[in-house]
Amino acid sequence: MPANSDRALIGALDIGSSKVSALIVTRDDDGRLRVLGTGQRESRGVKRGYITDMDASEIAVREAVEQAERMANATIDDVWASFGAGGLVSDIANVEVELGGHQIEQSDVNELLVTGRDALDRNGQVVLHAHPALYTLDGVEGVGHPVGLHADRLGVDIHVVAADPAPLRNIDLTIRQAHLGVKAIVASPVAAALACLSQEERELGVALVELGAEVTNVSLHAGGMLVGLRSIPLGARDITDDIACAFGVRRRDAERMKCFHGSAMTSPRDNHEMIEAVGIGAEDGAEPMRISRAQLMTVIRQRVEEVTGQVESALKELGFTGPVGRQVVLTGGGAELKNIADYMQGVLGRAVRVGRPKAITGLPDAHSGPAFTTLVGLAMLAGGGTSDIRDIALGKLTDKKKPATGIVGRLVAAMKGGF
């Protein structure tokens, strides 16, 4: 019998364009999360964050989860999955009800949130998140806990994140074909923010840039919630492909060159440092080509400049202006490129730091880098529960064994056009 069978298990699954990673965690007696198992496989059948080959993706998902289960000596029935492709939309909906001046009770708050369901119509899109943010009492904004206060009118700002239904159906079906249930599909910026941003940063205002393999998500957080999103169809793999094309080498060799010799900042020594590489189709024993680091840096910088330029444009569109001190946090696998935070800081004119996931007991060093921020955030979100307005509006959640009920039942219903 598995050693951890007496504890509730939480499964997290991040299906990216370059890798599929899985995490199994549980809660210790003191309430802290503890990692039991991890798994990772090369992603197959995913392009720019979208599932393009369901059979290939299903195999990668199954292998990553099975690897985590072997390490944990336990099996999981369902997972919290991420969605980081383009098409995510963030919005704020406001709802208000009349109270007549009496003291606010919890039932009044619940009635307000139920009323808020009507404000979540996204014209065919699926609502992934609908969190009550700050409350308003008689026009006074920024009330965190209204219960016990008196007011004539009670309002609430509801933060909504929605996405198109078809890509979500594909993720849901891919996971179910791997014989797993889907507890929830979470927008990647929501999970990543939970894992690598402090509460104070999210309150004061911060931009999170997730530089993935083929998609870069730029999200703006203020007042403790996500308030804007932009997706850029470029990522770290584009740098790898540029190197492969420029020098005629295999992708795996281009990736090695980028990781070991690449940087976002140039150096006077680049002209004197030589890199050996084997061209595609070279015969066994053939003399490797010699490439100067300066040549490699030229290729890398061109793509880094393009990505940074689009990030800067996205920040301006989101209204991320004002004091120079407002910070940008860079995470995702692309954040591991040497000196990329320093380069972006110089271009953006703002403090830029690399965001790594918060420490969880038992998390391996190999999974503690920025490439695994979303995965860790999924586990934290699942372990901490949510204040999703849909849960409040539709009744209290209870743990269910069958994946056809609970959260996934509502997800499927939403995908069919309901809420």
Side-chain angles (χ1 to χ4, degrees):
M1 179 178 293
N4 300 293
S5 60
D6 58 335
R7 292 186 180 273
L9 300 179
I10 297 169
L13 180 68
D14 184 21
I15 304 175
S17 299
S18 65
K19 70 181 185 308
V20 175
S21 49
L23 192 65
I24 299 176
V25 303
T26 189
R27 279 201 171 277
D28 286 333
D29 294 334
D30 58 3
R32 295 183 181 182
L33 292 178
R34 177 165 55 90
V35 175
L36 301 177
T38 61
Q40 181 180 331
R41 284 293 183 269
E42 180 184 359
S43 185
R44 298 185 290 272
V46 181
K47 185 68 175 176
R48 302 292 178 193
Y50 294 100
I51 303 290
T52 57
D53 186 331
M54 195 167 293
D55 291 337
S57 299
E58 178 264 317
I59 293 172
V61 166
R62 182 156 35 83
E63 290 178 349
V65 172
E66 286 176 353
Q67 183 182 20
E69 288 177 331
R70 286 194 297 271
M71 182 181 296
N73 190 28
T75 58
I76 55 175
D77 296 323
D78 41 45
V79 295
W80 290 60
S82 66
F83 178 74
L88 286 170
V89 177
S90 176
D91 196 10
I92 304 294
N94 181 266
V95 183
E96 194 172 67
V97 295
E98 293 289 338
L99 295 179
H102 72 256
Q103 190 176 33
I104 299 171
E105 300 177 355
Q106 186 61 46
S107 60
D108 296 314
V109 175
N110 292 343
E111 181 183 350
L112 174 69
L113 298 179
V114 170
T115 304
R117 284 182 56 188
D118 298 333
L120 302 181
D121 183 12
R122 299 301 308 175
N123 298 320
Q125 288 186 314
V126 177
V127 175
L128 293 178
H129 308 279
H131 297 292
L134 296 177
Y135 293 88
T136 303
L137 297 182
D138 296 333
V140 179
E141 300 177 345
V143 178
H145 305 284
V147 175
L149 301 175
H150 292 263
D152 291 316
R153 299 188 319 277
L154 173 64
V156 65
D157 290 328
I158 303 170
H159 169 231
V160 180
V161 177
D164 294 331
L168 298 176
R169 287 195 188 101
N170 292 334
I171 290 177
D172 180 71
L173 185 56
T174 297
I175 296 172
R176 286 193 289 112
Q177 284 187 342
H179 309 294
L180 291 164
V182 181
K183 281 289 253 184
I185 296 179
V186 177
S188 176
V190 173
L194 185 63
C196 72
L197 298 181
S198 69
Q199 184 61 37
E200 189 170 11
E201 283 178 323
R202 297 170 68 189
E203 290 286 345
L204 296 175
V206 63
L208 179 63
V209 178
E210 298 171 83
L211 184 53
E214 296 182 346
V215 178
T216 298
N217 283 315
V218 181
S219 56
L220 180 60
H221 303 257
M225 60 185 175
L226 190 154
V227 296
L229 277 172
R230 291 291 186 277
S231 291
I232 301 168
L234 292 172
R237 178 173 283 178
D238 293 289
I239 300 175
T240 302
D241 289 349
D242 289 346
I243 296 171
C245 291
F247 303 114
V249 298
R250 290 186 292 268
R251 276 196 175 102
R252 66 182 184 186
D253 293 329
E255 181 70 17
R256 179 186 58 81
M257 292 167 65
K258 180 183 74 174
C259 294
F260 287 97
H261 304 285
S263 173
M265 305 285 282
T266 57
S267 166
R269 297 178 309 220
D270 292 342
N271 286 308
H272 307 289
E273 183 178 336
M274 304 302 293
I275 303 166
E276 292 188 349
V278 178
I280 296 177
E283 297 180 359
D284 293 340
E287 188 75 16
M289 70 176 80
R290 291 173 61 82
I291 302 166
S292 71
R293 190 167 185 264
Q295 291 175 293
L296 176 65
M297 290 299 303
T298 298
V299 175
I300 292 175
R301 276 292 291 268
Q302 286 178 342
R303 185 63 76 173
V304 170
E305 288 173 4
E306 181 184 8
V307 172
T308 304
Q310 294 206 29
V311 168
E312 185 175 25
S313 298
L315 292 175
K316 289 179 180 177
E317 291 175 8
L318 292 170
F320 195 67
T321 57
V324 175
R326 297 181 72 180
Q327 192 171 49
V328 174
V329 176
L330 180 64
T331 192
E336 295 180 348
L337 177 65
K338 193 180 301 180
N339 297 322
I340 190 167
D342 293 335
Y343 174 80
M344 283 195 171
Q345 180 166 304
V347 174
L348 300 177
R350 299 179 180 276
V352 179
R353 72 170 178 86
V354 174
R356 293 177 172 81
K358 296 170 185 175
I360 296 180
T361 303
L363 186 68
D365 290 340
H367 286 69
S368 60
F372 297 92
T373 299
T374 296
L375 181 68
V376 173
L378 286 171
M380 293 174 64
L381 187 66
T386 71
S387 57
D388 198 305
I389 196 171
R390 295 172 302 169
D391 301 340
I392 299 170
L394 296 175
K396 203 167 186 179
L397 289 179
T398 56
D399 291 332
K400 304 242 187 352
K401 293 285 186 182
K402 296 180 180 179
T405 58
I407 295 176
V408 74
R410 295 200 299 278
L411 176 63
V412 173
M415 289 179 176
K416 292 179 179 178
F419 174 71

